Amino acid sequence: MLEALWEMGEVTVREVTEHLRAGGADLAYTTVLTLMSRLAARGLLTRRRVGRADLYRAAVDRSGVEAALSREAIDRLLSAHGEVALAAFAARMREGHPEQLARLRALLEEPEE
């Protein structure tokens, strides 16, 4: 859905629904409305009222979405599993590529913004 918004710019739910259907998706208008409302609530879309219609626009680019989704996934993982998740991540990083481990160390040393 965000792909459509990045491509189309500022659009209505109906326009997105029609675009997705043209691409072969079998989605109801209400499903698209619900998804877009949730994305707006999460700050991934902006919503602006014009007359009786709401116009939506992507609030973040692809890298912003990746960062937001990564933060949410990490927060859920740490909230559910805490220390076990940290230990598993550390073990995985040690097993992975040395470049990734070096990058992680560098990121941990950077001052917070």
Side-chain angles (χ1 to χ4, degrees):
M1 180 164 317
L2 280 168
E3 288 287 338
L5 287 155
W6 288 321
E7 180 182 319
M8 300 170 70
E10 191 172 55
V11 291
T12 64
V13 173
R14 183 146 325 276
E15 290 169 323
V16 173
T17 303
E18 290 169 2
H19 178 82
L20 294 172
R21 286 179 181 163
D26 184 24
L27 295 171
Y29 172 87
T30 54
T31 301
V32 177
L33 173 62
T34 299
L35 291 171
M36 290 177 70
S37 295
R38 288 181 180 170
L39 290 172
R42 291 171 64 183
L44 298 175
L45 300 181
T46 61
R47 178 177 25 215
R48 160 174 94 91
R49 177 71 90 175
V50 176
R52 294 181 48 197
D54 285 331
L55 295 176
Y56 291 84
R57 175 182 294 279
V60 293
D61 59 13
R62 281 178 180 80
S63 64
V65 169
E66 290 171 356
L69 293 176
S70 294
R71 279 191 302 275
E72 287 179 12
I74 289 167
D75 288 348
R76 282 193 308 273
L77 187 65
L78 291 174
S79 178
H81 305 287
E83 188 65 33
V84 173
L86 283 175
F89 182 74
R92 186 73 169 129
M93 289 302 296
R94 283 191 299 272
E95 295 168 359
H97 298 285
E99 304 85 35
Q100 288 178 327
L101 186 55
R103 179 67 181 130
L104 176 61
R105 285 188 173 121
L107 288 169
L108 289 171
E109 295 299 322
E110 286 182 6
E112 290 187 39
E113 295 178 6

